[in-house]
């Protein structure tokens, strides 16, 4: 479609988008060499009329549209999205076939982690000298949460000799970092067999394939209830979804109502002085540390949100010491 098919307003927005992307790319151009980072956030709804998030995964762009009222008809809006994706690719010198466009809607019912395609295509990216497989085509979530890059490094820095537990482990990136930091043992837990298999692949790609690395495709609550009382964990990552339901478990997960009771149960399998990194992405989350009988609880979100993120509340994170 040629540019004459677009409205003046759309063409102007494309120009604004290109200008903003160019500025951000210049600002972050030293990221890969200075920090060993090849996956990072470039644009985050900086212009209100262009409610997109653009993440760079090496030589690929992952663009997510967030719901926002507009006056475009469905066909016109589809053309608008195509133009924005084309503009991003051209501005950043990324081939259009490496530009992936998604739409993120508010999670309702069973919609979380819903498929948008079925290519099962994965590419390898690097972060902190480690290798991870991501799927940019099939799901809104790619397999590597870029907003926890700093938190992963925190885990790596303190993992040496520790017995590490990764709850709601998703694709196991925290486990990879813990193993890279010298953890004596890692345990990865997720209800999804698909994510557990993905975790194993990520671990093996980095050379962590021994019996000291264990995996459980089980509900995290059930894992704690069935846990052997004689094994305690020194370091835990608890990064649950905001909401989740599954045919595999009778109970829905809602982070606001479930997180504190879960934390209190979790403490029973943490060694004295052990550390829990607790994080979630629910913007309205209310947490009263007095409800959790720990030695210390400190919110460290200002430290864990990467510097390129415009949204400083992309997640909230606490460091909890038993």
């Amino acid at each position: 479609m040629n540019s004459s098919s677009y409205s003046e307003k759309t063409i102007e927005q494309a120009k604004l988008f290109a200008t903003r992307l160019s500025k951000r790319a210049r600002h972050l151009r030293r990221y890969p060499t200075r920090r060993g980072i090849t996956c990072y956030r470039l644009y985050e709804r900086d212009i209100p009329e262009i409610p997109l998030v653009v993440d760079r995964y090496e030589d690929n762009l992952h663009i997510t549209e967030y719901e926002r009222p507009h006056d475009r008809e469905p066909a016109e809006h589809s053309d608008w999205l195509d133009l924005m994706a084309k503009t991003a690719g051209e501005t950043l010198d990324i081939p259009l076939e490496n530009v992936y466009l998604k739409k993120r809607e508010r999670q309702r019912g069973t919609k979380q982690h819903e498929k948008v395609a079925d290519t099962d295509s994965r590419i390898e990216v690097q972060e902190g000298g480690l290798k991870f497989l991501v799927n940019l085509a099939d799901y809104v979530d790619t397999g590597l949460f870029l907003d926890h890059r700093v938190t992963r490094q925190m885990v790596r820095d303190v993992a040496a000799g520790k017995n590490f537990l990764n709850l709601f482990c998703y694709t196991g990136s925290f486990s990879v970092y813990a193993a890279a930091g010298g953890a004596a043992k890692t345990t990865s837990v997720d209800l999804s067999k698909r994510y557990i298999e993905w975790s194993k692949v990520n671990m093996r790609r980095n050379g962590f394939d021994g019996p000291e690395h264990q995996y459980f495709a089980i509900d995290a609550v059930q894992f704690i209830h069935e846990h052997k009382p004689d094994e305690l964990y020194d370091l835990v990552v608890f990064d649950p979804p905001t909401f989740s339901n599954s045919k595999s478990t009778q109970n829905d997960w809602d982070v606001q109502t479930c997180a504190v009771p879960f934390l209190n149960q979790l403490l029973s399998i943490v060694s004295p002085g052990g550390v829990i990194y607790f994080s979630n992405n629910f913007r309205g989350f209310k947490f009263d540390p007095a409800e959790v009988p720990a030695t210390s609880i400190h919110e460290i979100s200002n430290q864990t949100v990467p510097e390129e993120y415009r949204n400083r509340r992309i997640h909230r994170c606490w460091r909890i010491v038993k």
Side-chain angles (χ1 to χ4, degrees):
M1 186 178 289
N2 59 53
S3 60
S4 62
S5 304
Y6 299 109
S7 68
E8 288 185 16
K9 182 179 179 182
T10 293
I11 293 171
E12 182 62 30
Q13 287 177 342
K15 290 178 180 177
L16 286 171
F17 189 38
T19 300
R20 182 60 182 166
L21 283 173
S22 294
K23 183 178 179 181
R24 289 287 292 155
R26 285 195 302 273
H27 177 67
L28 298 170
R29 70 187 183 280
R30 297 186 187 279
Y31 249 37
T33 53
R34 193 170 60 203
R35 293 179 174 82
I37 294 166
T38 56
C39 305
Y40 50 88
R41 181 143 296 184
L42 269 166
Y43 174 93
E44 191 171 12
R45 294 183 274 186
D46 302 36
I47 302 166
E49 295 78 21
I50 307 173
L52 304 175
V53 166
V54 182
D55 291 323
R56 182 161 191 153
Y57 287 81
E58 300 193 353
D59 294 325
N60 303 270
L61 293 181
H62 185 262
I63 303 176
T64 311
E65 181 200 10
Y66 281 70
E67 289 180 295
R68 179 183 168 89
H70 57 76
D71 57 5
R72 294 180 289 273
E73 295 296 323
E76 185 184 4
H77 183 61
S78 179
D79 290 342
W80 181 89
L81 283 171
D82 288 343
L83 178 61
M84 295 304 151
K86 183 171 180 285
T87 298
E90 290 177 350
T91 302
L92 300 166
D93 198 26
I94 300 290
L96 193 57
E97 61 265 25
N98 290 5
V99 178
Y100 300 85
L101 179 64
K102 311 280 182 60
K103 182 170 183 177
R104 180 183 288 274
E105 298 178 348
R106 185 175 298 173
Q107 289 183 3
R108 301 179 181 95
T110 61
K111 292 184 74 68
Q112 71 276 7
H113 300 303
E114 198 168 78
K115 270 194 174 183
V116 296
D118 196 16
T119 68
D120 200 31
S121 61
R122 298 192 227 181
I123 61 171
E124 182 182 285
V125 297
Q126 296 200 29
E127 182 188 88
L130 300 169
K131 303 169 186 176
F132 300 93
L133 285 183
V134 297
N135 183 326
L136 303 181
D138 294 347
Y139 291 85
V140 172
D141 294 322
T142 65
L144 185 66
F145 292 129
L146 301 187
D147 64 298
H148 269 307
R149 183 177 67 236
V150 178
T151 325
R152 287 191 280 271
Q153 185 57 46
M154 286 182 173
V155 167
R156 184 184 199 168
D157 289 343
V158 299
K162 301 289 200 314
N163 189 3
F164 173 72
L165 174 63
N166 189 0
L167 295 166
F168 296 93
C169 73
Y170 189 37
T171 60
S173 57
F174 275 109
S175 299
V176 173
Y177 266 81
K185 182 179 178 181
T186 71
T187 302
S188 303
V189 179
D190 199 286
L191 184 59
S192 166
K193 292 180 180 178
R194 176 174 173 270
Y195 290 147
I196 287 295
E197 288 305 312
W198 199 332
S199 298
K200 291 178 181 178
V201 170
N202 277 336
M203 289 285 279
R204 288 166 184 162
R205 285 182 97 83
N206 290 279
F208 307 123
D209 196 22
E212 68 274 21
H213 305 298
Q214 298 188 337
Y215 308 87
F216 295 90
I218 188 175
D219 176 54
V221 175
Q222 185 181 350
F223 174 82
I224 291 179
H225 284 160
E226 297 179 358
H227 190 269
K228 300 173 186 174
D230 58 340
E231 182 171 18
L232 298 177
Y233 296 94
D234 313 305
L235 183 62
V236 180
V237 167
F238 169 42
D239 182 31
T242 297
F243 176 79
S244 178
N245 58 15
S246 170
K247 295 175 183 176
S248 303
T249 179
Q250 294 181 337
N251 301 314
D252 291 348
W253 171 273
D254 180 278
V255 72
Q256 184 59 71
T257 57
C258 298
V260 167
F262 185 91
L263 275 169
N264 288 332
Q265 293 174 341
L266 175 58
L267 282 169
S268 68
I269 62 170
V270 176
S271 61
V275 174
I276 301 169
Y277 287 99
F278 164 49
S279 175
N280 72 79
N281 298 85
F282 178 36
R283 288 187 72 106
F285 186 71
K286 294 178 173 60
F287 181 41
D288 181 2
E291 295 180 352
V292 179
T295 300
S296 69
I297 300 177
H298 294 292
E299 184 168 2
I300 57 172
S301 309
N302 287 338
Q303 301 170 48
T304 58
V305 175
E307 61 188 288
E308 82 268 20
Y309 272 71
R310 183 169 173 267
N311 175 14
R312 303 306 298 170
R313 292 179 70 84
I314 186 71
H315 69 242
R316 294 178 70 191
C317 186
W318 290 263
R319 183 178 185 272
I320 301 171
V321 181
K322 181 172 177 179

